[in-house]
Amino acid sequence: MGVVLAGAAWVMVYAVLLRATRNSPEASRFVGEVVYLVPIVAATALAVYAARRTRQRVATAWRLLIVSNLLWLLGESTWAVYSYVSPDGAPVPSFADAAYLLSYAVALPAIVIGLGLGVLGRTQGMLDALLVAAGAAAIGWQTLISPLVPSTWNAPALVTFLYPVFSVSIVSILVAVMLSGSRHVPRSMVIVGTAFGLAAVTDGAYAYLTAIDRYMSSSWVNLGWQIEAVLLCVAAVVAGRRAESDQPRTLDPDLAFLPAVVAVLAVGGLAVADLVLVGRLSLVTLAVTMLLLLGLLVRQVVATRDRARLTQGLRTAAITDQLTGLYNRRFFKEMVDVEAERAVRRRLPLSLVLLDLDHFKDINDTYGHSVGDAVLADVAQRLRREVRGSDLLCRYGGEEFVCLLPGTPAPAAYELAERLRQTLRGTPVTVAGMAEPILLTASLGVATDEAGERGRVDTDALINEADQAVYRAKALGRDRVVGSGQPAPTAADPVTDLPPALVWMADRIDRALGDRECAAAVSRWAFRTASQLGLDEAAQRRTAAAARVHDIGRITCLATRQPDQPGGTGRAFDPGHPAQGARLLVELAARPDLAPLVAAHHERHDGTGYPYGLAGTDIPVEARIIAVCDAWAELCAAEPHLPGASRQPCRDELVRGRGTRFEPAVLDAFVALLDDGVLDEPACFAEHPAAPVRGEQRPVPR
């Protein structure tokens, strides 16, 4: 605001000086030639300030304006010297005229760049600018230039003619860029444009004045150029203080419709001027009319094309995942219904493969989300190369991908899923800036609906089947393909990686000792308790595996049972079975890592357990967990008639062992799971006549 007030004060002072020195030739010449230079010098200096403070295209515009202002100052200084050394003033043409014209030539690109050269990069924006420029130029020609066209051409006539030509060009460009829909116009450039627009009007007045009379230093025309210099000063200060760049204040609203209005007004104005002044339409008016009409038609065609492209672009953006470039979940939901109807109509199978990356959260937590995004993009490219053109590959959400396979039976879908799994597993992902590649695996679920068999496809059920298959793949240890029609494995299998024969033997021991499962249930509970305690995944898997076979040492007791001895007598005290089980794990399963856990699962926190009398932290944490879970299994077996919600006496009995039999932290974690109702009941063998016994299927958390 201060620079605006200072500029306004200067214009008023200069106007007063012009008036006051009108009757004094020497004073008038001093005001018109020397004092006149003050705002031009200030505009040049402030342009340097603006160029240093601004960035990008705005800085480029101000660098050009420095040159333009210097040329203007050079021309005015030359004119002032001529006025003092020559009685007739500066000749026409002179060095001053060359400097003036070069100043305009440099100002033209500065205005275009500063006001928004980017608008000319679009076809529609360029046409809008051309239409407005043509209309404005036509009006300028008819009103300013045409009357000044000399009857005979010589150097003075040419120079006099060029001033209004440059002025009209600047105004035309100014109006064209401002009204052609540009939305990134810096405020300082608007002021610069206004300054040059005023200069164009002043130049026109100067041209008329020199045509009918002689220009004097005391002329009021000088006031217009003084205002131009003041506006350039204001613009430079605004640009410098705001440090303007390519994203400054936005002009609103969108004025893209105005080119057509300007074109129509231009044609109408030219026609009226011709009819009034000449009495008929001139060839210039007719040519401009045809040019503008053709431009409007082309603009309409381009606008229609751009609108269609924009609509298609918005549609593509709405159905495309920005990170991977695949279709998104929304599009998958649309297409699965379409393909389901087609499958029913053509009586073809419809399959889908759901893929979930294993441990992807660990990648984000370890390396950061930018690396995670790079991994997802790489996975998308790998998967895209493996599917057919008729298959639909989408990002289903997060680290999940889905592939819809029209007309594909279950075996072919399973084969594709296995190929996708091997593609991801085969080559680690290399991320720029990472020293080591990232190993990647995935769990895949396959579901197929034979539409021809039922006459309909339940898409929700199909997706749910694939999702459940992924859960089972996770439960089986990840990095595998599971089909929705495959039988469910035992509940412990997801995390144990034990030989099937050893698991079978553990289940046979359970059958021989009671009518309810024990090993499978204890394994499930131990896995959840280890997770509740925050143990890492390897420890969770190790705990579940040891729990699954913690009683295999009882095989010795069963083998020595006499033929007439009744079965189902329960788990009698057998102090040797922990050590025997540990030996079997080493000799039969080659799992020495599990042997100490099985050997210590009957040790007590207070050191009174067996077989070694270990206490406290000397007992492996996995064995401490198994001890609590095994004790709960024994309590449940002792009260089989009580439903899970009514086992408060069993819970109280378990809690009484806190700090003596059981480690408090482990017991508290188990009881918290028990109270939350997330621990299932041991299955009864009578309800599962087919061997081996299978426990309740609960999806392992991903």
Side-chain angles (χ1 to χ4, degrees):
M1 181 59 69
V3 70
V4 174
L5 295 176
W10 172 260
V11 172
M12 294 178 62
V13 168
Y14 189 82
V16 171
L17 291 175
L18 282 180
R19 178 65 179 175
T21 60
R22 192 172 186 84
N23 297 322
S24 174
E26 287 301 322
S28 176
R29 183 166 56 182
F30 179 79
V31 171
E33 305 297 347
V34 179
V35 177
Y36 173 87
L37 298 177
V38 172
I40 303 176
V41 173
T44 305
L46 289 173
V48 175
Y49 162 75
R52 290 180 176 178
R53 292 277 297 167
T54 53
R55 294 175 293 132
Q56 299 171 323
R57 64 178 173 87
V58 182
T60 302
W62 277 106
R63 293 188 190 103
L64 291 173
L65 287 173
I66 293 173
V67 178
S68 176
N69 289 346
L70 283 172
L71 289 170
W72 183 20
L73 179 60
L74 180 60
E76 295 292 359
S77 300
T78 304
W79 184 280
V81 171
Y82 272 116
S83 68
Y84 276 98
V85 301
S86 175
D88 297 326
V92 179
S94 68
F95 182 78
D97 293 307
Y100 292 147
L101 294 176
L102 285 175
S103 174
Y104 280 126
V106 176
L108 277 172
I111 292 174
V112 172
I113 293 172
L115 287 178
L117 183 62
V119 72
L120 304 182
R122 306 189 311 269
T123 303
Q124 184 175 337
M126 183 173 64
L127 286 174
D128 290 345
L130 288 175
L131 285 172
V132 174
I139 295 175
W141 175 274
Q142 194 75 356
T143 57
L144 292 176
I145 301 175
S146 181
L148 298 176
V149 175
S151 55
T152 58
W153 289 94
N154 51 40
L158 177 61
V159 171
T160 303
F161 176 75
L162 286 178
Y163 281 111
V165 169
F166 271 113
S167 300
V168 169
S169 300
I170 290 176
V171 172
S172 299
I173 291 175
L174 172 64
V175 175
V177 177
M178 291 292 292
L179 300 185
S180 58
S182 176
R183 284 194 166 273
H184 300 296
V185 180
R187 180 179 293 182
S188 66
M189 288 296 109
V190 176
I191 301 173
V192 169
T194 303
F196 278 98
L198 177 62
V201 175
T202 306
D203 287 340
Y206 168 78
Y208 275 108
L209 180 63
T210 54
I212 62 175
D213 199 356
R214 185 169 180 268
Y215 169 77
M216 302 294 293
S217 298
S218 59
S219 174
W220 286 99
V221 174
N222 286 0
L223 200 59
W225 289 314
Q226 289 287 287
I227 297 175
E228 175 195 5
V230 168
L231 288 176
L232 290 176
C233 292
V234 173
V237 172
V238 170
R241 287 182 177 177
R242 291 175 172 268
E244 291 178 330
S245 64
D246 282 0
Q247 301 294 330
R249 175 178 176 269
T250 300
L251 292 184
D252 55 354
D254 187 359
L255 303 177
F257 69 93
L258 284 182
V261 176
V262 172
V264 172
L265 292 178
V267 171
L270 291 175
V272 170
D274 281 348
L275 293 176
V276 171
L277 299 176
V278 184
R280 60 182 177 80
L281 294 177
S282 65
L283 292 177
V284 173
T285 301
L286 293 176
V288 170
T289 301
M290 294 300 296
L291 176 64
L292 294 179
L293 179 60
L294 179 62
L296 288 173
L297 290 175
V298 173
R299 181 187 183 279
Q300 185 61 34
V301 172
V302 172
T304 303
R305 183 202 63 184
D306 289 347
R307 194 176 300 113
R309 287 181 177 177
L310 177 61
T311 302
Q312 181 60 35
L314 292 175
R315 167 63 177 168
T316 301
I319 63 175
T320 303
D321 176 62
Q322 185 177 5
L323 176 63
T324 62
L326 301 178
Y327 290 113
N328 58 19
R329 183 171 185 154
R330 171 183 176 182
F331 187 68
F332 168 76
K333 290 288 190 180
E334 295 177 1
M335 292 305 298
V336 72
D337 292 333
V338 172
E339 293 297 341
E341 294 178 2
R342 184 179 301 169
V344 172
R345 188 169 60 253
R346 298 182 180 180
R347 304 182 69 81
L348 294 174
L350 180 65
S351 298
L352 64 86
V353 175
L354 188 61
L355 181 150
D356 192 336
L357 300 180
D358 296 330
H359 308 300
F360 185 75
K361 183 178 183 297
D362 293 343
I363 295 176
N364 278 335
D365 293 344
T366 304
Y367 304 107
H369 288 277
S370 60
V371 173
D373 290 346
V375 170
L376 289 175
D378 183 88
V379 168
Q381 294 302 319
R382 295 192 193 189
L383 299 181
R384 185 184 283 117
R385 289 193 292 265
E386 295 296 330
V387 301
R388 304 170 302 181
S390 58
D391 300 334
L392 179 67
L393 180 63
C394 306
R395 185 183 179 191
Y396 198 60
E399 65 270 25
E400 290 184 308
F401 298 84
V402 64
C403 187
L404 185 64
L405 311 172
T408 304
Y414 193 93
E415 180 181 348
L416 172 64
E418 181 62 27
R419 191 163 68 248
L420 295 178
R421 184 189 71 83
Q422 294 178 2
T423 296
L424 296 181
R425 180 184 177 85
T427 306
V429 178
T430 302
V431 179
M434 298 291 299
E436 297 292 334
I438 298 174
L439 298 176
L440 199 64
T441 62
S443 302
L444 298 93
V446 181
T448 302
D449 194 307
E450 301 290 344
E453 297 179 0
R454 298 196 305 269
R456 58 180 292 274
V457 174
D458 187 341
T459 56
D460 291 335
L462 185 66
I463 296 172
N464 184 64
E465 288 177 8
D467 192 54
Q468 291 302 315
V470 170
Y471 271 113
R472 289 202 296 276
K474 294 281 186 183
L476 285 169
R478 299 178 171 86
D479 187 25
R480 65 194 66 211
V481 179
V482 172
S484 60
Q486 293 177 322
T490 62
D493 290 346
V495 290
T496 58
D497 292 331
L498 290 168
L502 204 63
V503 175
W504 176 85
M505 185 170 69
D507 289 338
R508 298 306 300 178
I509 292 172
D510 279 351
R511 280 180 172 274
L513 297 178
D515 60 355
R516 291 177 179 270
E517 67 173 5
C518 176
V522 171
S523 180
R524 294 194 299 271
W525 303 338
F527 183 86
R528 288 187 176 275
T529 305
S531 176
Q532 180 81 355
L533 286 168
L535 302 187
D536 59 44
E537 184 179 355
Q540 295 175 32
R541 293 169 61 88
R542 194 164 53 247
T543 305
R548 188 68 173 89
V549 292
H550 71 283
D551 267 347
I552 60 171
R554 293 183 183 274
I555 190 69
T556 304
C557 177
L558 293 175
T560 58
R561 177 185 293 172
Q562 298 301 317
D564 58 346
Q565 187 175 349
T569 58
R571 284 167 167 75
F573 177 70
D574 182 6
H577 84 271
Q580 179 69 4
R583 185 179 65 81
L584 292 175
L585 279 171
V586 174
E587 296 179 357
L588 299 182
R591 293 297 301 268
D593 59 318
L594 302 183
L597 314 185
V598 171
H601 78 275
H602 273 297
E603 302 289 354
R604 296 169 60 105
H605 186 64
D606 59 6
T608 60
Y610 62 88
Y612 307 117
L614 302 178
T617 56
D618 291 336
I619 306 171
V621 65
E622 298 93 338
R624 291 175 246 159
I625 294 172
I626 297 172
V628 175
C629 297
D630 185 46
W632 180 250
E634 292 179 358
L635 290 171
C636 292
E639 300 288 349
H641 59 283
L642 292 179
S646 302
R647 286 213 173 98
Q648 186 63 35
C650 298
R651 181 187 183 282
D652 294 341
E653 178 66 23
L654 191 72
V655 171
R656 273 194 289 271
R658 188 178 190 274
T660 55
R661 182 177 179 183
F662 309 118
E663 180 188 359
V666 174
L667 180 65
D668 292 345
F670 180 86
V671 171
L673 293 172
L674 187 65
D675 293 343
D676 289 340
V678 298
L679 299 181
D680 58 328
E681 290 291 312
C684 180
F685 290 138
E687 299 171 357
H688 302 275
V693 180
R694 293 188 176 92
E696 179 183 347
Q697 293 300 303
R698 283 182 174 267
V700 176
R702 303 185 191 186

